[in-house]
Amino acid sequence: MASLLNAFNNPKDEGAAGSSGNPPSPTPDKIADTNSEILWPLLPDEYTLTKIIGKGAFATVYAATAKTTEERTPVPDASSTGQYYPHCSIKILELENVGSSLTDILNEVRIMRSISHRNVLDAYATFVRGSQLWLVTQIMAKGSCLNALGVLQERGIQGFDEKSIQYVMNSTLRGLQYLHSQGHIHRDVKAGNILLGSLGGVRLADFGVSGWLKSSQGESRDCAKTFVGTPCWMAPEVMEQISGYDYGADVWSLGITCLELAKGYAPYANFPPMKVLLMTIQEDPPSFNTYEDLGGKGEKHSKEIKSFVNKCLQKDPSKRQSVDELLSHKIFSHLSDEKGINKAREEFRNDILKHIDDIGNTDPDKVVKERAAGTKPIVFESTPGDEDRPAGTTWVFSDGTSQVVKQGGGGGGDDDEDFFDKFEKSTGGENFDKDRGNEPEKVKDEKEPEKDPEKVKDEKDDNLDFMDEFEKIGTE
Amino acid sequence: MAGILKALGRKSSDDVKAKVSLPALIASLRADPSPSNLEKLCEGVDVLLSPPSPSPSELETLQNLLLERPTAAAGSPAGEPGPSKGDGEEERSPLEMCVGGMPQLEFEKKKSTCATLLNVLSPPPPLPTSFYTLLTTIQNSNAPSCLPLGNLLRHTLSHPPNASTYLESPTFLTVSIMELPLSPNFDVLSDAFSTLKVSFTSPTSSPYLETNYTPFFTSFTHLLTSSNYVTRRFSLQLLSSVLLSRSNFNVMMRYISSLPSLKQIMNLLRDPHPNIQYESFHVFKVFVVNPRKTKEVEEVLRLNKVKLVKFLEGRWKDREGEGNFKGERELVRKTLEEL
């Protein structure tokens, strides 16, 4: 049965697209993919990778466009509308680098694919190419808040103005509210994970610290058990790892992020990790004063924003306000309805975003111009490692057939032919049983070995100690 | 009707619950299986499940209402509605109508409906084969419904008799093994393997494997030899955990005495990707350490022991910290040398 999930159900062939522009009317068995009304391709060749926008130990993030939907008129990203927009970002993870923490990563992908909210990054499609996992997500053209802070600092501006902070905090809180309602803890809220769309949309990304991009070169590959997140944003109860942690850990990180947005860096950003741990656990919670004590410039900050930060940064998690309570804080009073939010978004675009260039240069017109200028999309060589099997593994099976390896010329592994292969060729394969002849391998149907009942009984006992003997060396 | 309502109504006058008439909601869903009617039914069930939660007998009444088939006329066995949507739609139980209606629901509604069904099926009652064939077919034909339905499915399998119903259902080998784990869509693929893992850790899986050994392993080889890296890697992990669970002792003995299986695993041992090699080692080791090897198996191991010993020396260094891998690798090399 050719399941509907063939390589790519091209809307054009199925005529579901109707006139270009409006999203296809969902017929019962062709409901669109999870997060958007549009079916995103499930084949790597259907995407053009235009630029690297992020790199980590395990994964690389590219700006990309979905090829086959070229003829659609791309509508610039409006963070709330589900309008079709061919640009996306693709996170490519080399699964060969991932050992035992593979299941953590799969769970994270599954969580990402089961959420959909305008303040959380949309994951559109996931598929495998060779030993790589491709995660197609929405692209946020203006990059992260951290990137924005960097650009502002180059222009001598310390951080976001308070109005912009309120807007970003409110959007992030709404994203967290949705995640918490779905039973997920983000675990890594910080300016680097709050992304900005070209129209001022704010979305939380990269949650679940399975270390896709997180663990730096130095750490051993699979330290999924040890918490890998950066300590500056980590709540004290997370550091102490005594009673485990809950949604409140995200609220603490949010409080630190609020300071980060105002001052351009997290309060303890300049200290080595160990010191950050000690100060967070032993000292009073950080606040705007922490910067003054450390000689930071003494800009004035409103009473309201100080009270907001204070409510997030309570060391005792039970005293910390919940996301719902924080959303009703008075600094968000002007952001309680759609009109207020849209107004704040426009102001945010004029105050902050106009200084920031696109990271993945995904503005429709800009992309076209650049393409004319001949930016070549990034092309992959053939899937790595498909041909080069480990040397010296041409097994010989007793019925004369042998797995002769097509030794890829100069393929991976040592170049010169393996000693045993040469030896076997020169001596006509002394392991090779000549008189057995070389008829093709007949698939013998397995006859179940007949056992008479008594023999089975005692055989079962010593089988059990076989298991014990095997158990001695134990299995995972 | 009043009797059922009274049974569901709390002794204390909990009027909110009393207002919910499940039979009426079911009737309207049968009359017009629209998404809105489906959602209304689920909302009604949510209300009935809300605190003060129903007593066991009330829960049972609720579950029976949802599992009841309308035309189970005397004489004809409980109608076995065909898996496809078209025919047999009328004989579906309300539960199956909810599962069948999943593709029409909006994204968040799919999750909330599955959450409601999961709550009402706690603890899971025995479920018919038709429930599993329908659910698997929907998973295979509508990717967005796959993940929420996957959670519901795995929850029902926690009741062992359901696990054997699922394993023996007609769509298990043809779809849950031969299609879902080979899907180009990574969500569908990883969800399929999570379900297989749950199915084969259930105690009822051992008798299933023993009686269906050949059909199961014939289908399963399609996963071991798939060109999809993740499918190969997951199926090897699944195979080693199945073989090494004590309840599957007979299945293991039969598997490791078959030469075609050894050949297949030895070929996977030389896969270009080290992680695939490593996962196949955890199956290969059972062949080698088996004190009762068949003549065929022993001979092939002996024929290749020089290369195997060399191959295993210091291989997969980065995995030495895991479990007793290091000890096992040495034991296998020693056993091979002494052949």
Side-chain angles (χ1 to χ4, degrees):
Chain A
M1 165 178 110
S3 79
L4 177 59
L5 266 168
N6 48 35
F8 173 60
N9 19 42
N10 184 335
K12 239 197 339 314
D13 303 343
E14 288 154 25
S19 65
S20 76
N22 50 35
S25 56
T27 48
D29 48 5
K30 290 197 184 55
I31 287 290
D33 203 35
T34 317
N35 298 75
S36 67
E37 291 311 313
I38 290 89
L39 293 176
W40 286 85
L42 290 168
L43 260 179
D45 321 336
E46 301 297 341
Y47 292 94
T48 319
L49 305 177
T50 43
K51 191 168 177 280
I52 292 184
I53 48 177
K55 195 126 182 47
F58 291 162
T60 311
V61 185
Y62 295 85
T65 44
K67 246 189 262 176
T68 48
T69 43
E70 203 86 5
E71 75 289 345
R72 294 271 182 98
T73 46
V75 171
D77 165 45
S79 75
S80 50
T81 61
Q83 276 300 331
Y84 174 70
Y85 183 72
H87 301 289
C88 57
S89 87
I90 300 183
K91 190 182 274 190
I92 298 180
L93 167 70
E94 177 47 63
L95 290 176
E96 263 303 283
N97 295 345
V98 175
S100 55
S101 63
L102 182 62
T103 21
D104 303 342
I105 286 173
L106 303 189
N107 290 338
E108 185 198 337
V109 168
R110 206 176 309 158
I111 291 175
M112 283 192 83
R113 292 284 290 136
S114 60
I115 51 170
S116 165
H117 185 272
R118 67 178 193 179
N119 293 118
V120 179
L121 192 70
D122 256 349
Y124 293 150
T126 57
F127 48 86
V128 172
R129 173 189 183 277
S131 58
Q132 295 168 339
L133 174 64
W134 286 40
L135 176 66
V136 182
T137 64
Q138 177 177 14
I139 185 150
M140 301 297 278
K142 296 292 182 184
S144 73
C145 284
L146 187 63
N147 165 53
L149 286 172
V151 168
L152 291 178
Q153 255 135 37
E154 276 154 25
R155 310 164 65 86
I157 308 168
Q158 185 184 50
F160 286 12
D161 58 285
E162 241 171 67
K163 259 231 164 300
S164 303
I165 295 177
Q166 288 163 6
Y167 168 66
V168 172
M169 279 294 117
N170 183 272
S171 311
T172 310
L173 269 170
R174 288 170 187 274
L176 275 180
Q177 186 181 44
Y178 172 77
L179 280 179
H180 291 177
S181 71
Q182 302 284 313
H184 307 310
I185 305 173
H186 186 282
R187 285 195 182 81
D188 201 12
V189 175
K190 56 183 180 181
N193 283 342
I194 301 175
L195 306 184
L196 305 172
S198 51
L199 290 177
V202 174
R203 288 188 183 237
L204 199 48
D206 265 2
F207 61 92
V209 190
S210 57
W212 276 38
L213 282 176
K214 301 293 176 307
S215 53
S216 57
Q217 289 319 72
E219 280 135 71
S220 72
R221 274 202 205 149
D222 290 319
C223 46
K225 305 297 173 301
T226 53
F227 193 94
V228 170
T230 36
C232 286
W233 290 266
M234 223 190 281
E237 72 272 13
V238 174
M239 292 173 179
E240 286 153 345
Q241 296 201 329
I242 305 162
S243 58
Y245 51 93
D246 201 342
Y247 302 115
D250 284 344
V251 171
W252 174 280
S253 313
L254 190 76
I256 301 282
T257 307
C258 185
L259 295 172
E260 182 187 12
L261 291 181
K263 294 293 188 182
Y265 59 97
Y268 302 141
N270 306 328
F271 296 129
M274 269 325 292
K275 188 136 198 278
V276 175
L277 295 181
L278 287 176
M279 292 186 75
T280 307
I281 292 172
Q282 288 162 359
E283 304 288 335
D284 296 339
S287 68
F288 284 104
N289 309 344
T290 324
Y291 292 86
E292 271 89 36
D293 309 345
L294 306 169
K297 280 204 293 311
E299 259 96 8
K300 287 296 142 274
H301 295 282
S302 71
K303 231 175 9 28
E304 291 79 19
I305 199 154
K306 285 182 180 168
S307 123
F308 172 76
V309 168
N310 183 321
K311 287 187 167 44
C312 296
L313 297 182
Q314 292 294 323
K315 287 178 80 171
D316 171 2
S318 58
K319 289 213 191 62
R320 225 173 280 158
Q321 287 207 334
S322 74
V323 168
D324 297 333
E325 287 156 335
L326 286 167
L327 269 171
S328 50
H329 191 284
K330 51 184 178 332
I331 59 169
F332 301 131
S333 51
H334 63 297
L335 291 166
S336 52
D337 59 17
E338 207 54 32
K339 205 156 69 51
I341 292 174
N342 289 339
K343 183 162 160 299
R345 190 211 331 268
E346 287 315 316
E347 283 159 9
F348 183 62
R349 282 182 69 185
N350 300 334
D351 302 347
I352 304 286
L353 286 192
K354 68 174 185 310
H355 305 303
I356 320 269
D357 294 338
D358 285 1
I359 45 151
N361 44 43
T362 47
D363 277 345
D365 39 18
K366 223 170 164 200
V367 168
V368 173
K369 258 201 259 77
E370 280 197 358
R371 180 148 299 150
T375 46
K376 286 189 306 309
I378 296 164
V379 177
F380 277 93
E381 346 74 43
S382 74
T383 335
D386 253 358
E387 329 71 27
D388 32 26
R389 291 181 179 275
T393 57
T394 46
W395 314 131
V396 175
F397 296 121
S398 58
D399 48 18
T401 59
S402 80
Q403 280 291 315
V404 177
V405 67
K406 299 189 297 313
Q407 205 64 342
D414 38 24
D415 289 339
D416 47 30
E417 220 168 318
D418 168 78
F419 165 73
F420 282 92
D421 295 349
K422 278 200 219 94
F423 178 75
E424 200 153 9
K425 260 199 199 115
S426 54
T427 57
E430 115 311 61
N431 294 346
F432 188 65
D433 193 332
K434 285 198 192 47
D435 44 39
R436 187 56 59 78
N438 196 352
E439 343 83 19
E441 178 202 329
K442 286 188 300 308
V443 180
K444 304 180 197 61
D445 56 9
E446 293 138 70
K447 289 177 296 317
E448 203 189 337
E450 294 78 23
K451 292 202 189 85
D452 56 61
E454 301 80 27
K455 215 153 108 335
V456 170
K457 205 197 112 321
D458 50 321
E459 196 184 69
K460 219 171 175 84
D461 315 335
D462 49 30
N463 278 349
L464 287 184
D465 42 47
F466 151 67
M467 278 308 285
D468 302 337
E469 187 258 342
F470 194 75
E471 221 62 62
K472 255 204 280 48
I473 39 167
T475 54
E476 278 157 86
Chain B
M1 289 302 163
I4 295 174
L5 264 183
K6 205 159 115 320
L8 290 181
R10 314 295 309 129
K11 293 175 197 47
S12 64
S13 66
D14 183 338
D15 45 22
V16 171
K17 286 201 176 182
K19 276 217 244 30
V20 170
S21 154
L22 204 56
L25 291 172
I26 292 173
S28 58
L29 179 62
R30 257 196 217 298
D32 162 25
S34 66
S36 62
N37 280 342
L38 198 151
E39 280 153 35
K40 282 201 199 82
L41 174 64
C42 288
E43 276 144 26
V45 172
D46 284 340
V47 167
L48 293 174
L49 289 174
S50 59
S53 50
S55 68
S57 70
E58 282 160 352
L59 180 62
E60 209 191 326
T61 314
L62 194 49
Q63 288 179 345
N64 291 341
L65 270 171
L66 289 173
L67 292 171
E68 200 190 316
R69 228 184 279 288
T71 56
S76 81
E80 279 292 345
S84 65
K85 269 200 289 290
D87 55 23
E89 184 133 2
E90 326 66 41
E91 293 103 34
R92 279 194 191 156
S93 66
L95 173 66
E96 283 162 3
M97 291 176 77
C98 293
V99 170
M102 210 49 75
Q104 280 74 49
L105 295 181
E106 176 266 328
F107 177 72
E108 288 295 336
K109 279 285 178 283
K110 288 192 215 284
K111 290 192 292 185
S112 54
T113 304
C114 280
T116 303
L117 296 180
L118 195 137
N119 290 337
V120 78
L121 297 176
S122 299
L127 292 170
T129 304
S130 57
F131 169 79
Y132 289 109
T133 46
L134 176 61
L135 191 145
T136 308
T137 310
I138 300 280
Q139 279 189 312
N140 195 30
S141 63
N142 183 270
S145 311
C146 185
L147 292 180
L149 283 176
N151 292 333
L152 177 63
L153 169 58
R154 285 186 288 277
H155 170 75
T156 66
L157 297 182
S158 58
H159 180 55
N162 285 343
S164 41
T165 311
Y166 174 63
L167 291 171
E168 268 135 24
S169 65
T171 49
F172 178 69
L173 288 181
T174 55
V175 180
S176 307
I177 296 273
M178 299 276 284
E179 296 241 11
L180 296 174
L182 294 161
S183 160
N185 187 329
F186 182 74
D187 310 336
V188 174
L189 183 148
S190 59
D191 185 82
F193 274 104
S194 306
T195 306
L196 288 179
K197 198 156 182 263
V198 165
S199 323
F200 286 109
T201 37
S202 142
T204 55
S205 59
S206 309
Y208 167 80
L209 283 173
E210 283 179 29
T211 43
N212 301 280
Y213 182 91
T214 308
F216 172 76
F217 277 98
T218 316
S219 310
F220 195 76
T221 43
H222 289 270
L223 305 185
L224 291 172
T225 53
S226 147
S227 57
N228 183 316
Y229 166 89
V230 180
T231 306
R232 284 206 309 277
R233 190 164 166 184
F234 274 154
S235 48
L236 277 164
Q237 273 174 4
L238 186 65
L239 180 59
S240 65
S241 68
V242 163
L243 293 181
L244 288 170
S245 67
R246 288 192 77 93
S247 56
N248 291 333
F249 180 79
N250 298 333
V251 174
M252 174 185 79
M253 288 311 283
R254 185 170 174 189
Y255 186 81
I256 58 178
S257 39
S258 121
L259 183 55
S261 307
L262 174 63
K263 279 189 197 173
Q264 193 169 64
I265 295 301
M266 281 177 72
N267 283 334
L268 283 164
L269 207 55
R270 55 194 294 271
D271 186 277
H273 301 94
N275 276 327
I276 301 278
Q277 298 163 9
Y278 173 76
E279 301 293 351
S280 27
F281 168 79
H282 281 295
V283 180
F284 179 66
K285 69 186 178 188
V286 193
F287 283 93
V288 176
V289 178
N290 173 13
R292 232 160 251 83
K293 296 191 229 342
T294 57
K295 206 176 61 53
E296 292 175 325
V297 165
E298 176 134 6
E299 195 187 335
V300 165
L301 291 177
R302 196 180 44 71
L303 258 173
N304 296 285
K305 75 174 184 179
V306 172
K307 289 185 180 175
L308 282 166
V309 167
K310 182 169 181 295
F311 175 72
L312 289 174
E313 197 189 336
R315 194 155 286 266
W316 311 300
K317 272 220 173 11
D318 55 351
R319 295 298 201 118
E320 281 170 358
E322 275 168 36
N324 318 69
F325 165 61
K326 211 160 184 254
E328 287 170 6
R329 187 183 57 193
E330 288 328 306
L331 175 66
V332 168
R333 286 186 68 233
K334 195 165 63 53
T335 321
L336 283 169
E337 268 157 358
E338 286 149 9
L339 277 183

